[in-house]
Amino acid sequence: MALQKIAFVGLGIMGLPMARNLVRAGYTVTGHNRSRGKVDALVADGGVGADSVADAVADADAVITMLPDSPDVEALLAGEGGVFSHARPGTLVIDMSTIRPDVSRTLAQQGQERGLKVLDAPVSGGEAGAIEGALSIMVGGEQADFDTARPVFDVLGKTPVLVGPHGAGQTVKAANQLIVAGHLQLLAEALVFLEAHGVETGPGLEVLGGGLAGSTVLQRKGEAMRERNFQPGFRIALHDKDLRIVTDAARTSGVTVPLGAQVAQLVGSLNRQGHGDLDHSALLKLVEELSGRKH
Amino acid sequence: MALQKIAFVGLGIMGLPMARNLVRAGYTVTGHNRSRGKVDALVADGGVGADSVADAVADADAVITMLPDSPDVEALLAGEGGVFSHARPGTLVIDMSTIRPDVSRTLAQQGQERGLKVLDAPVSGGEAGAIEGALSIMVGGEQADFDTARPVFDVLGKTPVLVGPHGAGQTVKAANQLIVAGHLQLLAEALVFLEAHGVETGPGLEVLGGGLAGSTVLQRKGEAMRERNFQPGFRIALHDKDLRIVTDAARTSGVTVPLGAQVAQLVGSLNRQGHGDLDHSALLKLVEELSGRKH
């Protein structure tokens, strides 16, 4: 079955540009959002507006959800008057939010019990990736459903990858957030270390980037960190939420992540200290403070 | 002054192929090593053998040293009968070992007091990089001396970079080793985390490598780590030595490196547990043991 009518719920910083890209690609996109302004923006670009979840999903081949956190997705999908109550049997429900893997698994089971098909498909790449249709998409669920959703994923991102059963997409996203936070913290430690020893960090980062220490974080964030430019990008507040998912999922599976746990604590501290709206590279601020080198 | 006659002291796993590349490039290379066998190997390839440091350096335009650790370099350069006693005034002394930045600074000063020119120029890229002449070279010292040494560096590596004053090369190498160890540990944590949740780690690493979590460590070590192939590569024992340099240098400069300190402890434990001859990616073994998932 080729998908044509798509309900898109959650038209935030990520969701709105994603929905726009689907409109441009020729899909009939019906948008719903808690605040009506975003719906009007989508309608102005050729989408259809819906005032309720029931209206949005009633006629849809697929429902895409893009919401901030696990409780939001649980309420929207399984709650009273939610997607699972109103979608037609056979509808493909694709949650692209970043939430807990165990919640994704539970929701997939509940959806299947109502005759729906469910995928978890969190993304990486941020607002820029959403606008450019260049998101990384990590998908958990069944192969046949992945194949059905593939044309939609190809509009939203570059290389959608099916990484395992329900929840596996969220697990890979969690691992992604663990690694990214760790790489940022290590780069912050290295930068302060180099500065404290009088090294020219421009050439220093150049030579580090060319060897085994190279990383995408260094390429994309190195210069901004040297300049203490912490404009987001990806906000500390969201990374804090994601690292709680990591440490919770690690704990429930008996996995010990020493560096992951420590950087989760540092990101959490930064968030609670009021820096939630800075880019996650602002981990550098903590390293400076711990080293008596406040700017 | 163009360099032509080079004394090369320390013909180990790294030093011998480096000296051979200089012979091939047309330099007159006089080799000295504690054990004579390596000297004979260099002579067989067109080098000159020397039985003592005095003989090796007496007529040299430049002296290159490539030794295991700080005390070795101190003894060879500043010790009785060492390079500083026997080299002609004006000789360029290039230490390419990985040692403590403060030791490099002290040795540079002692050498200058005797009328010598000194550079610290540690490398990254391992035995393969030494053989292929593809090392990353991080140089501390004066611009004029860097310019003089540049043709030699271009034989040994790709992009030599002058990163600051005496000791700065060692500082950048230390930062390199901090980042590399951290990236390996984070990848180990992510792998065990994914495996424990039933994710297919092949596609999982593919999607992680394509996004902000991408790294040279993931590219070069990811598959071997999935297969538990810990053939070196770069040995835990050497990385342990290098991380002691990192934590010592951080402590003396008042810099706090939370992730660096923790991974230094993990590498140290692995070394003391008898795994010093495994590749540094064997950090994965500790994460498995901490997570009750011993292979």
Side-chain angles (χ1 to χ4, degrees), chain A residues 74-294:
Chain A
E74 280 179 307
L76 177 74
L77 294 187
E80 209 176 329
V83 172
F84 290 170
S85 311
H86 293 287
R88 295 178 306 185
T91 302
L92 181 58
V93 179
I94 309 170
D95 178 38
M96 304 190 77
S97 322
T98 294
I99 65 171
R100 297 165 51 119
D102 58 319
V103 172
S104 279
R105 277 190 293 276
T106 303
L107 288 171
Q109 198 180 345
Q110 293 173 343
Q112 286 174 320
E113 285 165 4
R114 291 168 183 262
L116 304 169
K117 296 162 180 175
V118 184
L119 293 172
D120 53 295
V123 304
S124 168
E127 187 181 1
I131 292 169
E132 295 159 18
L135 296 167
S136 286
I137 308 178
M138 310 150 217
V139 188
E142 291 177 16
Q143 181 72 51
D145 299 334
F146 176 79
D147 295 340
T148 303
R150 178 84 199 220
V152 167
F153 291 148
D154 286 337
V155 170
L156 302 174
K158 276 185 195 160
T159 45
V161 181
L162 182 68
V163 291
H166 295 296
Q170 297 297 350
T171 304
V172 173
K173 178 67 189 286
N176 185 79
Q177 297 303 76
L178 180 161
I179 291 175
V180 169
H183 284 191
L184 285 164
Q185 173 65 20
L186 288 164
L187 182 56
E189 295 179 11
L191 258 177
V192 174
F193 179 86
L194 292 174
E195 289 173 354
H197 286 87
V199 172
E200 292 173 30
T201 53
L205 290 194
E206 180 196 334
V207 69
L208 289 173
L212 190 52
S215 71
T216 310
V217 160
L218 192 153
Q219 280 169 33
R220 294 204 198 150
K221 301 281 182 180
E223 277 309 297
M225 288 170 78
R226 286 183 63 223
E227 294 163 9
R228 272 63 177 172
N229 174 358
F230 303 130
Q231 289 287 97
F234 188 75
R235 286 168 209 277
I236 284 284
L238 280 170
H239 214 143
D240 182 26
K241 179 210 74 164
D242 292 353
L243 290 171
R244 269 180 286 145
I245 293 173
V246 173
T247 50
D248 283 353
R251 190 183 300 116
T252 54
S253 58
V255 174
T256 305
V257 290
L259 296 203
Q262 188 154 17
V263 76
Q265 196 177 35
L266 295 169
V267 171
S269 292
L270 210 50
N271 191 16
R272 241 69 68 207
Q273 288 169 28
H275 300 302
D277 284 336
L278 296 183
D279 187 68
H280 46 178
S281 57
L283 278 164
L284 183 63
K285 289 171 73 74
L286 276 190
V287 179
E288 284 185 320
E289 280 164 25
L290 286 164
S291 304
R293 298 178 65 84
K294 247 177 116 169

Side-chain angles (χ1 to χ4, degrees), chain B residues 149-190:
Chain B
R150 178 83 199 222
V152 167
F153 291 147
D154 285 338
V155 170
L156 301 174
K158 277 183 195 162
T159 44
V161 182
L162 181 68
V163 291
H166 296 297
Q170 297 297 349
T171 304
V172 173
K173 178 66 189 286
N176 185 79
Q177 297 302 75
L178 180 161
I179 291 175
V180 169
H183 285 191
L184 285 164
Q185 173 65 20
L186 289 162
L187 182 55
E189 294 179 13

Side-chain angles (χ1 to χ4, degrees), chain B residues 207-228:
Chain B
V207 69
L208 290 174
L212 191 52
S215 70
T216 311
V217 159
L218 193 153
Q219 281 171 32
R220 294 203 197 151
K221 301 280 183 181
E223 278 306 302
M225 288 171 77
R226 287 184 63 224
E227 295 163 9
R228 272 62 178 172

